[in-house]
């Protein structure tokens, strides 16, 4: 592939469809994306024993119906806990298991989730970097957290790194983050330290001056989360590729 992961639409957490029992970030969702030739985005969280687990939320309730944090459970327990609503009794996978499933079949975009402290950030970065070392397929890594990008580089990851961004104008997303921090993230002022290679931008923020500037400088941009053909057409005016869910971007 000439330009992974930007040459094909990227299935957000795999090609999931809860109504059909295909749950996000599951073996079935990834298999469905591979069958259609779409790129795959997945998420990584840290387990209690330092394993990288393919799982979006930092807590367990929404996806497996249990209380507590992913960080508080051992990987051996997590990978035998069924995902709620799965028609095939899919369970969360370790990152290593997922990489074995994908095996280079389609481009992979790995989001390494923000962690609560520097120790966990370094631990997840180290494990993720260890897992991808020697992986024989198109793969890039991204994170909302500039410190995670730095930690990944320090852990020996040498591939492309992306910063995930948005307008930092949604309190339900940023919580109690200080205004100064939001300003720095919105304007990508961390670049001299994080040295990201591409941008993953929420679709309503594609017009941010910093995003437009970096794109003009040649940085590639993917846009999330696109949920209709209309949103896709609009995003593609400003972004090189879309991260989608809930519709077929190949339909005509």
């Amino acid at each position: 592939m000439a330009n992974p992961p930007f040459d094909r639409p990227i299935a957000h957490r795999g090609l999931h469809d809860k109504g059909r029992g295909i749950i996000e970030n599951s073996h079935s969702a990834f298999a469905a994306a591979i069958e259609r030739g779409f790129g795959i985005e997945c998420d990584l969280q840290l387990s209690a024993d330092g394993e990288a687990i393919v799982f979006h939320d930092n807590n367990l309730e929404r996806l497996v119906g249990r209380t507590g944090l992913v960080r508080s459970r051992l990987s051996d327990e997590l990978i035998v806990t069924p995902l709620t609503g799965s028609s095939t009794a899919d369970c969360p996978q370790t990152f290593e298991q997922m990489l074995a499933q994908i095996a280079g079949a389609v481009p992979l975009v790995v989001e390494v989730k923000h962690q609560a402290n520097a120790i966990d950030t370094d631990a997840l970065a180290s494990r993720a970097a260890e897992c991808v070392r020697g992986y024989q397929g198109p793969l890039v890594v991204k994170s909302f957290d500039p410190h995670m990008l730095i930690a990944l580089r320090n852990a020996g990851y040498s591939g492309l790194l992306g910063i995930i961004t948005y307008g930092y104008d949604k309190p339900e997303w940023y919580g109690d983050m200080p205004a100064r921090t939001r300003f720095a993230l919105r304007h990508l002022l961390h670049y001299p330290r994080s040295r990201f290679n591409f941008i993953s931008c929420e679709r309503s923020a594609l017009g941010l001056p910093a995003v437009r500037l970096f794109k003009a400088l040649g940085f590639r941009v993917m846009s999330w989360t696109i949920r209709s053909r209309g949103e896709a057409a609009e995003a593609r005016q400003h972004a090189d590729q879309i991260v989608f869910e809930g519709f077929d971007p190949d339909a005509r």
Side-chain angles (χ1 to χ4, degrees):
M1 297 180 182
N3 189 32
F6 293 92
D7 53 355
R8 285 288 287 146
I10 303 157
H12 186 230
R13 307 177 197 170
L15 199 59
H16 57 91
D17 183 346
K18 191 173 182 179
R20 296 172 52 214
I22 303 173
I23 308 305
E24 65 182 64
N25 275 320
S26 69
H27 187 283
S28 296
F30 301 144
I34 292 171
E35 184 178 353
R36 293 292 310 280
F38 290 127
I40 292 172
E41 184 195 54
C42 71
D43 303 281
L44 298 186
Q45 294 281 6
L46 185 69
S47 70
D49 52 333
E51 189 58 80
I53 302 294
V54 182
F55 203 86
H56 179 270
D57 300 357
N58 63 2
N59 64 73
L60 296 164
E61 184 173 357
R62 180 177 69 91
L63 291 166
V64 298
R66 298 194 178 184
T67 58
L69 300 175
V70 177
R71 183 69 179 89
S72 69
R73 304 297 181 97
L74 296 172
S75 57
D76 285 350
E77 176 187 356
L78 292 167
I79 64 174
V80 295
T81 303
L83 292 162
T84 302
S86 172
S87 62
T88 55
D90 276 336
C91 299
Q93 298 182 87
T94 66
F95 187 33
E96 208 165 40
Q97 289 171 330
M98 185 212 177
L99 291 175
Q101 178 192 358
I102 308 305
V106 295
L108 186 56
V109 180
V110 182
E111 178 180 343
V112 186
K113 304 299 288 187
H114 171 76
Q115 299 298 295
N117 55 62
I119 292 174
D120 288 355
T121 296
D122 287 345
L124 183 54
S126 294
R127 182 56 182 146
E130 181 181 18
C131 288
V132 302
R133 197 170 293 125
Y135 178 70
Q136 299 297 309
L139 178 149
V140 298
V141 180
K142 64 179 184 176
S143 182
F144 279 97
D145 184 0
H147 297 99
M148 181 62 77
L149 302 189
I150 296 167
L152 284 157
R153 286 284 190 231
N154 290 342
Y157 173 74
S158 59
L160 297 181
L161 282 173
I163 189 67
I164 311 173
T165 194
Y166 67 103
Y168 288 88
D169 51 356
K170 297 175 173 61
E172 66 274 21
W173 289 4
Y174 65 70
D176 59 358
M177 184 182 290
R180 182 169 61 182
T181 302
R182 299 199 307 273
F183 181 89
L185 291 170
R186 180 168 61 250
H187 295 289
L188 303 178
L189 300 183
H190 51 76
Y191 176 72
R193 294 178 293 110
S194 63
R195 305 295 291 181
F196 57 82
N197 306 110
F198 69 93
I199 296 170
S200 181
C201 184
E202 194 268 328
R203 66 181 187 86
S204 70
L206 286 166
L208 284 173
V211 175
R212 293 172 61 189
L213 172 62
F214 276 95
K215 191 170 193 313
L217 291 172
F219 285 67
R220 294 197 172 269
V221 177
M222 62 179 64
S223 184
W224 53 274
T225 301
I226 308 302
R227 295 185 169 89
S228 71
R229 292 176 64 187
E231 290 182 1
E234 184 177 353
R236 281 177 169 136
Q237 296 179 40
H238 309 283
D240 299 287
Q241 193 49 271
I242 61 168
V243 180
F244 75 94
E245 69 176 31
F247 79 107
D248 185 349
D250 283 349
R252 293 291 182 264

